[in-house]
């Protein structure tokens, strides 16, 4: 009877150990897969209307890539004691499992394979890790697993139902920039969902403040801008960013090309909403904004900025709001556009820009702006 009980305990332990090793393998598998583009915000709709399937996130550093099987970590079950026959067999099986896992990673298995998708039970365990652990490397691995799985529409609902939104949002309070970036990416993937957006709106002010105060062009800042872009795809929560528009223009003027493009996506979402036209015109813009219109600036940056200006011009009812135009202070976007149409040739360098399309677009916009801002009846 004692021997049978002992065999039963050993068998149960081996089964549990195998499951634990498999979960650890699935959790850490993302470290050596190819970097893939995560789901980004933009002009698309949330997944209740049109989803963005197949987008996945995996942003481990290339420094982690290691083709040497001898450097991998082998996870031994606790009962695999050295010097015992059962322990020797258990350690051999653990080494074999680790070897198979490393070889699978080296073959760069398809990211769409079924074994990269965690079950609800496994997602619950990962969320428990995020909630309970204080070690950055554990949080980083767990958040990457959540980010990969949150790229699938059905998992966004599961993670929300498991209470994952406040658990991940709590990580935004960390001082570790790597962990904070991973948390923002998870929330970004989860935000491509109408119900998730409704619950995430309470964190928008915090995300906005962290994004603006983060180091310029940092990964945390870019991740925050992507999340805010997703949250402003619809008009429902755009008003929450009204007081930060001036800061976004500052980031646009001071940031590098990647930051510029991400800010433009966010501003374009706001500019397409007629209710935000007044807030955009009221925003303070840096004096250096006009210097962007020169032949050294990226053509796509100029064209996208012109689209934003055109949307504002089209959405703002100039004649109906003539009485409030005096409320726009100096240095606002309203005064910038006023100077834009008056001094376009001198200040914005239409003649000096070498790209014909940019010249045509600026010329058309100046003519349209003059017609709306200064109608002939006032001349």
């Amino acid at each position: 009877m004692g021997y049978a009980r002992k065999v039963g305990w050993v068998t149960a332990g081996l089964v549990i150990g195998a499951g634990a090793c498999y979960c650890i393998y699935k959790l850490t598998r993302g470290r050596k897969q190819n970097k893939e583009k995560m789901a980004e915000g933009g002009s698309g709709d949330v997944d209740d209307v049109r989803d963005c399937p197949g987008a996945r996130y995996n942003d481990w550093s290339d420094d982690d890539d290691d083709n040497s099987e001898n450097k991998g970590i082998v996870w031994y079950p606790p009962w695999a004691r050295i010097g015992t026959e059962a322990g020797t067999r258990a350690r051999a099986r653990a080494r074999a499992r680790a070897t198979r896992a490393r070889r699978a990673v080296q073959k760069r298995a398809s990211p769409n394979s079924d074994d990269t998708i965690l079950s609800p039970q496994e997602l619950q365990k990962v969320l428990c890790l995020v909630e309970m652990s204080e070690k950055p490397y554990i949080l980083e691995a767990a958040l990457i697993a959540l980010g990969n799985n949150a790229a699938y529409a059905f998992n966004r609902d599961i993670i929300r139902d498991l209470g994952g939104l406040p658990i991940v949002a709590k990580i935004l309070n960390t001082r570790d920039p790597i962990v904070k970036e991973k948390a923002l990416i998870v929330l970004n993937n989860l935000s491509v969902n109408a119900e998730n957006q409704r619950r995430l709106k309470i964190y928008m002010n915090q995300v906005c403040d962290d994004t603006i105060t983060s180091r310029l062009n940092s990964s945390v800042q870019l991740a925050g801008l992507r999340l805010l872009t997703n949250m402003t795809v619809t008009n429902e929560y755009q008003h929450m960013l009204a007081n930060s528009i001036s800061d976004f223009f500052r980031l646009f003027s001071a940031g590098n090309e990647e930051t510029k493009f991400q800010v433009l996506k966010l501003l374009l979402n706001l500019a397409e909403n007629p209710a935000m036209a007044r807030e955009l015109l009221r925003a303070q813009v840096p004096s250096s904004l006009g210097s962007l219109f020169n032949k050294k600036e990226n053509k796509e940056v100029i064209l996208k900025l012109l689209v934003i200006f055109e949307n504002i011009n089209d959405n703002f009812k100039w004649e109906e709001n003539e009485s409030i135009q005096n409320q726009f202070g100096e240095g606002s976007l309203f005064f910038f556009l006023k100077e834009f149409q008056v001094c376009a040739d001198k200040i914005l360098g239409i003649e000096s820009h070498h790209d014909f399309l940019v010249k045509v677009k600026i010329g058309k916009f100046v003519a349209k702006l003059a017609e709306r801002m200064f109608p002939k009846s006032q001349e």
Side-chain angles (χ1 to χ4, degrees):
M1 185 67 178
Y3 176 77
R5 180 176 298 177
K6 183 177 180 180
V7 171
W9 278 109
V10 170
T11 303
L14 290 176
V15 172
I16 296 174
C21 291
Y22 180 65
C23 286
I24 291 171
Y25 157 62
K26 291 179 72 173
L27 183 62
T28 58
R29 172 178 184 157
R31 296 187 64 134
K32 295 189 178 182
Q33 290 182 338
N34 282 327
K35 289 185 176 181
E36 301 177 69
K37 186 177 182 181
M38 69 176 204
E40 290 189 359
S43 59
D45 294 332
V46 293
D47 61 18
D48 291 61
V49 182
R50 283 194 296 270
D51 196 29
C52 303
R56 297 177 56 79
Y57 169 73
N58 195 326
D59 196 24
W60 285 91
S61 169
D62 287 333
D63 296 338
D64 291 333
D65 196 12
D66 188 355
N67 293 324
S68 174
E69 293 187 2
N70 296 326
K71 294 183 181 181
I73 297 176
V74 180
W75 296 85
Y76 295 115
W79 58 86
R81 298 177 181 175
I82 298 177
T84 63
E85 183 177 354
T88 301
R89 290 196 299 268
R91 292 170 68 86
R93 283 192 291 269
R95 284 194 297 270
R97 283 193 295 270
T99 300
R100 289 195 298 271
R102 286 193 294 268
R103 289 176 178 173
V105 169
Q106 289 170 358
K107 290 180 179 179
R108 301 192 183 278
S110 170
N112 294 321
S113 58
D114 292 339
D115 58 356
T116 63
I117 304 176
L118 300 179
S119 67
Q121 292 77 14
E122 291 169 329
L123 286 172
Q124 180 68 72
K125 293 178 182 178
V126 175
L127 287 171
C128 287
L129 278 177
V130 174
E131 187 174 21
M132 303 300 295
S133 179
E134 296 181 356
K135 297 186 179 298
Y137 63 89
I138 294 180
L139 289 172
E140 186 180 358
L143 289 169
I144 286 179
L146 285 177
N148 280 340
N149 282 267
Y152 295 95
F154 57 88
N155 272 342
R156 295 179 192 130
D157 295 329
I158 293 174
I159 293 173
R160 180 187 68 242
D161 294 339
L162 291 173
L165 299 184
I167 291 176
V168 177
K170 186 178 179 181
I171 304 300
L172 297 178
N173 297 321
T174 184
R175 295 184 178 180
D176 190 307
I178 297 177
V179 174
K180 178 178 284 191
E181 178 202 0
K182 299 301 181 287
L184 287 168
I185 290 170
V186 175
L187 295 177
N188 177 52
N189 286 351
L190 291 170
S191 68
V192 192
N193 178 289
E195 178 60 24
N196 286 351
Q197 282 194 0
R198 188 181 68 81
R199 301 193 185 192
L200 289 174
K201 67 179 181 180
I202 61 176
Y203 307 108
M204 282 186 67
N205 289 334
Q206 179 184 359
V207 172
C208 188
D209 293 341
D210 289 347
T211 300
I212 292 169
T213 58
S214 294
R215 183 171 56 85
L216 185 64
N217 304 322
S218 64
S219 298
V220 172
Q221 188 172 82
L222 289 170
L225 287 170
R226 293 188 184 102
L227 174 55
L228 294 175
T229 302
N230 266 352
M231 292 295 294
T232 55
V233 167
T234 62
N235 298 343
E236 193 168 356
Y237 312 114
Q238 292 183 359
H239 65 279
M240 301 179 69
L241 303 182
N243 294 329
S244 302
I245 296 176
S246 298
D247 295 309
F248 294 137
F249 274 109
R250 178 180 57 80
L251 292 181
F252 172 77
S253 295
N256 60 18
E257 191 168 286
E258 188 175 5
T259 300
K260 279 183 169 63
F261 275 115
Q262 199 57 54
V263 173
L264 284 172
K265 291 180 182 180
L266 174 57
L267 292 176
L268 184 59
N269 284 349
L270 302 180
E272 290 176 347
N273 181 7
M276 293 297 295
R278 184 185 303 180
E279 302 298 336
L280 287 162
L281 288 170
R282 183 180 294 143
Q284 295 290 305
V285 297
S287 57
S288 60
L289 187 62
S291 64
L292 295 172
F293 291 83
N294 58 59
K295 59 184 179 181
K296 295 181 180 180
E297 188 59 55
N298 187 310
K299 167 186 170 181
E300 295 301 321
V301 170
I302 296 177
L303 293 178
K304 287 182 181 297
L305 187 59
L306 283 173
V307 171
I308 292 173
F309 290 166
E310 289 174 355
N311 286 342
I312 296 173
N313 185 41
D314 292 339
N315 289 330
F316 188 71
K317 302 184 184 301
W318 295 96
E319 296 179 359
E320 296 180 10
N321 293 282
E322 182 180 355
S323 60
I324 69 167
Q325 292 180 24
N326 295 329
Q327 300 177 9
F328 299 129
E330 292 187 13
S332 65
L333 182 61
F334 172 82
F335 273 84
F336 175 82
L337 293 178
K338 194 173 182 179
E339 292 297 318
F340 189 106
Q341 79 90 27
V342 172
C343 309
D345 291 331
K346 296 180 180 179
I347 298 179
L348 305 177
I350 297 176
E351 296 176 355
S352 65
H353 204 285
H354 61 84
D355 191 275
F356 177 75
L357 179 59
V358 171
K359 294 182 192 178
V360 172
K361 289 285 187 181
I362 291 180
K364 288 184 176 180
F365 173 67
V366 168
K368 191 174 182 180
L369 183 64
E371 180 183 351
R372 297 290 302 278
M373 186 178 284
F374 302 102
K376 294 182 180 180
S377 60
Q378 297 181 10
E379 295 180 354

